[in-house]
Amino acid sequence: MKLFRILINAFIFPFLVFVFHILLYFLGIYELYAWIDIPMHFLGGFSIAFTYIYLTGFLYRENIVERLPFLIFFVFIISLVSLTAVLWEFFEFGIDIAFNLDTQKGVKDTLGDLLFGLIGGSFGFLLFKRYPKARR
């Protein structure tokens, strides 16, 4: 039960961003305002950084992992955000293929999406980095 609560807390922020994304898509907001894609990818990276920092904090409090130096922790979190962003872009590509859609507008769009996801993840790291504290 404790693990379930931890996972809900960890993934609620990205889940809400995803629900907001779906809402914007079905309301046609992305078609009306193409620029909205940029802050959404920023927000996605931001929320994913929160999730990984939250989960790392849990692992730290449970004495499963040791506290990492600042730079190594940053590289670790940004690596996970990067992996998630790449997997998201693969997901979008798969959706485009499966349903004959055009959500990805090309390499320039995809690289911009990845860039803003990483920028959002970096901002998220800077905001949430102090979250994983030990309870002693």
Side-chain angles (χ1 to χ4, degrees), residues 29-44:
I29 302 298
Y30 287 113
E31 294 298 320
L32 290 172
Y33 307 102
W35 57 265
I36 200 81
D37 188 53
I38 293 169
M40 286 304 295
H41 278 85
F42 177 91
L43 194 57

Side-chain angles (χ1 to χ4, degrees), residues 18-102:
F18 178 71
V19 168
F20 188 54
H21 163 71
I22 296 297
L23 183 67
L24 292 176
Y25 180 80
F26 282 112
L27 291 175
I29 302 298
Y30 287 113
E31 294 298 320
L32 290 172
Y33 307 102
W35 57 265
I36 200 81
D37 188 53
I38 293 169
M40 286 304 295
H41 278 85
F42 177 91
L43 194 57
F46 188 84
S47 68
I48 290 298
F50 167 81
T51 295
Y52 290 129
I53 291 168
Y54 187 92
L55 291 174
T56 304
F58 168 73
L59 295 175
Y60 178 69
R61 287 187 303 275
E62 296 294 316
N63 293 315
I64 296 171
V65 298
E66 295 290 320
R67 183 177 292 277
L68 297 171
F70 178 85
L71 187 58
I72 293 172
F73 190 46
F74 174 75
V75 170
F76 176 69
I77 295 300
I78 293 304
S79 296
L80 291 172
V81 169
S82 299
L83 174 64
T84 305
V86 168
L87 292 174
W88 176 259
E89 292 301 319
F90 280 137
F91 171 75
E92 282 185 342
F93 179 74
I95 293 295
D96 282 355
I97 298 297
F99 297 104
N100 198 27
L101 298 173
D102 188 31

